[in-house]
Amino acid sequence: MKALCWMGKKDVRVQNVPDPTILDQRDAIVKITSTAICGSDLHLYNGFVPTMEKGDILGHEFMGEVVEIGSEVKKLRVGDRVVVPFTISCGNCFSCRKGLFSLCENSNPNAWMAEKLWGYSPAGMFGYSHLTGGFAGGQAEYARVPFADIGPLKVPQGLRDNRVLFLSDIFPTGYMGAEMCAIEPGDTVAVWGCGPVGQFAMKSAFLLGAERVIGIDRVPARLRMAREKVRAETLNYEEGDLMSRLKSMTGGRGPDACIDAVGMEAHTQGVLYAYDRAKQALMAESDRPIALREAILACRNGGTVSVIGVYGGFIDKFPMGSVMNRSLTIKAGQCHVQRYMRPLLERIQNEELDPEFVITHEFPLKDAPYAYDLFQNKQDQCIKVVLKPHGT
Amino acid sequence: MVTHKEGSGAHSDEDRRNRRLAAGLGWFSLGVGAAKLLAPGAVARLVGMEDKRAWRWLVRSCGLREVTAGLGILFRPNPVNALRARVIGDGVDLAALGIAMGFGQADRRRATMATGVVLGVTALDTYCSRSLQAGGDGRIRMRKSIIINRAPEEVFRFWRQIERLPELVMDYDLSVQQQGEGFSQWQVRMPGGSVVAWDAEFQTDPQTREIAWHTNGDARIQNAGSVSFEPATGGRGTIVTVDLEYVPPAGRLGAHLARLFGAEPGQMIEAALRRIKQVLETGAVVRSDADIHAGMHPARPPKRGHFKQIAVH
């Protein structure tokens, strides 16, 4: 089959690889009809994530048709149409039983690697380096899905792919970002990053009862999408002082909750950016916490900072004094996708939102390298790319 | 049958000698490092390098590293890592000397002598870090534990079928077979196909649910260990704790074991415990597209026939 493989920094290529087969009787093989490129894939593309091997298949947002199942699979049949969550979970361990599916204790065969970096290992993940298990990803024509009874969500035929694809990752991630804010009626929520995850975070903040949602970015197309599709207010951080504008919009108190949907490749102007980039180049700091620092400093006393942007290692100059002295709550995490898929599918079916609004580009799988370049450089007003491995 | 717990510190003569050697190396590191930091030009000339600005900075940075390692050896409770850092640093020094010798103005004779000295010190550092790691009496000890979401009786029952364990949890070629009440035979397959075997005695305490074993005098790999099964707090399952001590054998068998176990023998035990947890909690060992192959392999499906189906129990 054809698959999109990581060959090095800023080098991805579509190659011919063997078809996946059942390795474990709880597996299913899915023929992939739609798959998307995630903002976090760009961290892989840009070489920020260690433990990548030349030839790794990328991709963790995918859906399609079940074409083969192992003998122990009870909940799926050949022919079922499923969306597959990016996180692989066994369903039986302490974490899975608590609904913390992205922390499954059993699904990362390379747990020792993750433990060295992070202390303990989270769950395995599709297509996201050997640190998370070395599972082949979903930017391909087929994929092997472990624990097929636990992960995949069956979706009805009536909803086309583009409407439900994002249940695999970015919609639940944005939703969890908003949910972690513990939004109360009348709240103002500020969201750093108007990429697709940020867009869903803003939309979810409204769904969860926020009265004002403010999107922060510098790319005009993204700010426009936030205003037009999500009905959020927007701030371009390159036009004027962000922090003082947030203060004046909230009567000096600050937003009740701040969501970091940017992560480790944050950007800003001026000296602070130069400082963080220099430290990264010297390998003295692995991540750039620019958005995170701002979110903390901007948040009102007693508020919540919710972190769904991806970080990998260590950061510098963290405003701990601001956190402690002002009773801030910081909540973070990779999304526990399985927990949200069913309720969010219902919201889609009830037409509370149409996730398709974030899609700006669609390509066949063979154009994936071009698509990565487009997405990375935000050219052609690119916000979200969907790939079709078997044609539309 | 209780093994030494980690950290009980057998203070034998050999152990004391090793610690004195380590302290000596620590002071040596501090002294030489300070000299490099404070008088880099003199040091450079001493080892036969040209006294140029670039070399002085190189010497200073080596000095900083040595001072740090020296402090680590002298002031940390377990100096093994600092000693290892010294070994790596010695490698850097040798490389630097090698580069310096390539430049025209170098004093070859002095550089050669300096290389000899560094090699000697490297040997001492390596010997010391290895002996300290092994503990005073040359045995390697470890304790690893894991929490499993099953009742202690179930985990205990599973563990008693010890024959299935190696096939389930270890890819490689160690097998354990029960031979009647209280005895088992262990086998290690060597590269090349030959098999090294030895016997061990077993004891199970039905009261405490502790399983313990030890090898007899003539075993190729002297080892002893115990496994206990304690209920976790809050009804959250069982904490399985493995205590193991063994004497690394010399020669080919030792080298083969070193390769199997890797730099940290404890890691192999941890990996085995993780897989046991996977089997008990989910029914089988969890594999990924990359890790079903030995060694590094890209995360993509395997070629047909290049893998084993995973059994579900």
Side-chain angles (χ1 to χ4, degrees):
Chain A
M1 70 160 179
K2 300 246 183 302
L4 197 270
C5 301
W6 186 90
M7 302 306 280
K9 190 169 152 177
K10 295 219 188 330
D11 184 5
V12 293
R13 298 180 218 165
V14 177
Q15 296 187 328
N16 261 323
V17 305
D19 284 4
T21 48
I22 303 282
L23 292 183
D24 178 312
Q25 294 308 318
R26 296 158 304 172
D27 291 347
I29 308 290
V30 172
K31 173 179 167 187
I32 298 170
T33 51
S34 297
T35 176
I37 304 177
C38 184
S40 52
D41 286 333
L42 294 180
H43 304 320
L44 300 173
Y45 185 65
N46 291 325
F48 278 101
V49 180
T51 76
M52 290 298 288
E53 275 285 292
K54 206 162 143 170
D56 283 349
I57 300 177
L58 301 183
H60 55 268
E61 301 182 43
F62 62 99
M63 66 176 290
E65 185 192 320
V66 176
V67 292
E68 201 184 332
I69 53 174
S71 58
E72 299 283 317
V73 176
K74 307 276 184 275
K75 297 198 181 145
L76 296 182
R77 289 196 151 71
V78 170
D80 279 348
R81 187 165 166 245
V82 294
V83 177
V84 181
F86 77 89
T87 178
I88 299 170
S89 321
C90 77
N92 277 321
C93 63
F94 174 76
S95 298
C96 288
R97 294 261 175 97
K98 275 177 159 271
L100 301 172
F101 294 100
S102 74
L103 301 177
C104 175
E105 295 180 335
N106 289 317
S107 61
N108 185 359
N110 290 334
W112 65 273
M113 248 190 243
E115 279 207 346
K116 281 211 181 324
L117 186 57
W118 292 327
Y120 300 88
S121 172
M125 229 187 262
F126 288 104
Y128 212 82
S129 91
H130 292 243
L131 204 58
T132 62
F135 289 94
Q139 281 160 12
E141 293 181 310
Y142 295 87
R144 175 183 82 97
V145 177
F147 297 115
D149 278 341
I150 307 296
L153 173 79
K154 278 196 279 218
V155 289
Q157 288 299 335
L159 295 164
R160 57 173 179 274
D161 272 18
N162 288 359
R163 282 191 85 183
V164 292
L165 173 62
F166 302 132
L167 288 170
S168 56
D169 177 3
I170 57 175
F171 182 16
T173 298
Y175 187 86
M176 185 170 113
E179 193 188 64
M180 292 196 289
C181 293
I183 297 171
E184 289 171 13
D187 271 359
T188 300
V189 178
V191 179
W192 274 254
C194 296
V197 170
Q199 302 283 343
F200 284 121
M202 289 186 272
K203 189 79 198 161
S204 303
F206 277 127
L207 289 175
L208 287 167
E211 194 162 319
R212 281 179 92 179
V213 175
I214 305 168
I216 300 160
D217 204 295
R218 65 173 170 138
V219 178
R222 295 175 179 215
L223 293 166
R224 190 165 52 244
M225 183 183 271
R227 283 192 304 271
E228 291 174 6
K229 302 291 167 101
V230 182
R231 303 259 169 251
E233 298 164 68
T234 60
L235 289 174
N236 185 333
Y237 66 81
E238 284 189 341
E239 295 169 3
D241 180 43
L242 176 66
M243 305 299 264
S244 60
R245 279 185 294 162
L246 279 172
K247 270 216 170 102
S248 59
M249 281 166 90
T250 54
R253 178 174 283 163
D256 302 280
C258 296
I259 301 178
D260 170 3
V262 175
M264 65 162 123
E265 286 193 66
H267 169 275
T268 189
Q269 294 172 304
V271 171
L272 201 54
Y273 182 58
Y275 169 82
D276 281 309
R277 282 229 76 152
K279 288 209 84 169
Q280 252 183 337
L282 293 171
M283 312 258 264
E285 182 183 40
S286 57
D287 300 357
R288 307 198 292 266
I290 291 159
L292 182 61
R293 283 188 203 118
E294 287 179 353
I296 289 170
L297 291 168
C299 191
R300 72 149 165 85
N301 289 348
T304 301
V305 175
S306 166
V307 183
I308 47 176
V310 173
Y311 292 87
F314 297 88
I315 61 174
D316 202 31
K317 298 280 178 295
F318 182 80
M320 193 58 200
S322 186
V323 170
M324 188 275 162
N325 284 291
R326 300 192 303 110
S327 295
L328 292 188
T329 300
I330 301 181
K331 296 200 84 169
Q334 288 280 9
C335 186
H336 308 294
V337 181
Q338 286 88 333
R339 198 161 81 188
Y340 298 99
M341 288 174 105
R342 244 168 282 274
L344 291 182
L345 174 62
E346 259 181 54
R347 288 192 188 253
I348 295 173
Q349 287 172 313
N350 294 340
E351 312 216 336
E352 289 175 57
L353 85 165
D354 183 356
E356 273 191 90
F357 78 90
V358 297
I359 302 176
T360 54
H361 291 77
E362 215 177 89
F363 291 110
L365 181 64
K366 68 173 172 65
D367 291 334
Y370 170 66
Y372 265 82
D373 188 61
L374 207 67
F375 188 30
Q376 164 64 22
N377 295 313
K378 303 181 177 74
Q379 280 161 353
D380 196 26
Q381 314 211 350
C382 177
I383 296 182
K384 187 70 174 176
V385 179
V386 173
L387 301 169
K388 303 285 184 184
H390 290 101
T392 33
Chain B
M1 198 65 45
V2 163
T3 62
H4 288 115
K5 303 261 189 289
E6 223 175 17
S8 68
H11 290 301
S12 62
D13 282 333
E14 205 185 315
D15 197 42
R16 271 195 287 274
R17 265 204 306 279
N18 282 330
R19 287 187 183 276
R20 268 206 293 274
L21 176 60
L25 285 168
W27 283 111
F28 173 76
S29 216
L30 264 186
V32 173
K36 285 182 178 173
L37 274 176
L38 300 171
V43 173
R45 270 175 274 129
L46 185 65
V47 301
M49 295 202 270
E50 284 183 80
D51 185 5
K52 280 183 11 188
R53 266 192 84 210
W55 294 140
R56 285 198 191 193
W57 278 108
L58 181 62
V59 171
R60 279 199 189 101
S61 61
C62 289
L64 182 62
R65 186 241 316 138
E66 289 215 56
V67 166
T68 316
L71 290 171
I73 295 171
L74 290 172
F75 296 111
R76 294 192 117 225
N78 183 4
V80 173
N81 285 330
L83 277 166
R84 284 208 191 116
R86 269 205 56 82
V87 175
I88 295 173
D90 293 334
V92 172
D93 283 342
L94 288 168
L97 278 171
I99 294 172
M101 285 220 261
F103 284 80
Q105 301 273 41
D107 183 331
R108 292 262 147 92
R109 205 171 49 89
R110 285 198 175 181
T112 313
M113 283 201 320
T115 308
V117 171
V118 174
L119 278 172
V121 173
T122 312
L124 274 178
D125 288 331
T126 314
Y127 167 78
C128 196
S129 73
R130 286 250 174 92
S131 336
L132 273 183
Q133 184 183 27
D137 50 4
R139 287 170 177 259
I140 296 190
R141 292 181 180 77
M142 68 193 73
R143 162 177 281 186
K144 295 288 172 189
S145 72
I146 199 160
I147 180 168
I148 301 180
N149 199 359
R150 291 285 180 273
E153 304 79 51
E154 198 186 322
V155 182
F156 176 67
R157 238 181 299 129
F158 178 82
W159 197 283
R160 296 229 38 211
Q161 310 160 53
I162 199 158
E163 281 149 31
R164 294 168 62 215
L165 281 181
E167 145 224 330
L168 277 179
V169 305
M170 299 186 211
D171 284 329
Y172 21 82
D173 319 67
L174 168 70
S175 81
V176 181
Q177 269 151 28
Q178 259 184 276
Q179 319 229 296
E181 219 26 70
F183 286 94
S184 61
Q185 190 186 68
W186 298 51
Q187 293 180 352
V188 170
R189 186 158 325 168
M190 301 281 284
S194 62
V195 169
V196 174
W198 66 91
D199 293 326
E201 262 180 57
F202 246 94
Q203 258 176 14
T204 308
D205 186 332
Q207 230 66 332
T208 64
R209 277 194 236 106
E210 189 175 291
I211 301 174
W213 73 89
H214 66 105
T215 50
N216 299 314
D218 58 352
R220 288 295 300 275
I221 306 176
Q222 296 277 339
N223 70 80
S226 68
V227 188
S228 68
F229 306 85
E230 303 295 321
T233 56
R236 289 177 190 172
T238 306
I239 296 183
V240 178
T241 304
V242 175
D243 279 300
L244 174 67
E245 74 171 38
Y246 69 98
V247 180
R252 274 183 64 229
L253 182 54
H256 181 50
L257 270 189
R259 234 190 333 271
L260 281 184
F261 283 15
E264 292 173 41
Q267 205 168 289
M268 192 207 80
I269 306 288
E270 262 179 15
L273 284 174
R274 262 195 263 272
R275 288 176 167 189
I276 292 172
K277 177 185 164 89
Q278 286 165 11
V279 171
L280 281 169
E281 289 187 3
T282 76
V285 174
V286 177
R287 312 302 295 271
S288 74
D289 310 276
D291 98 321
I292 54 176
H293 303 92
M296 288 304 265
H297 189 276
R300 50 167 67 181
K303 293 205 193 55
R304 289 247 160 225
H306 281 228
F307 61 90
K308 248 181 15 199
Q309 289 273 356
I310 300 159
V312 177
H313 295 262

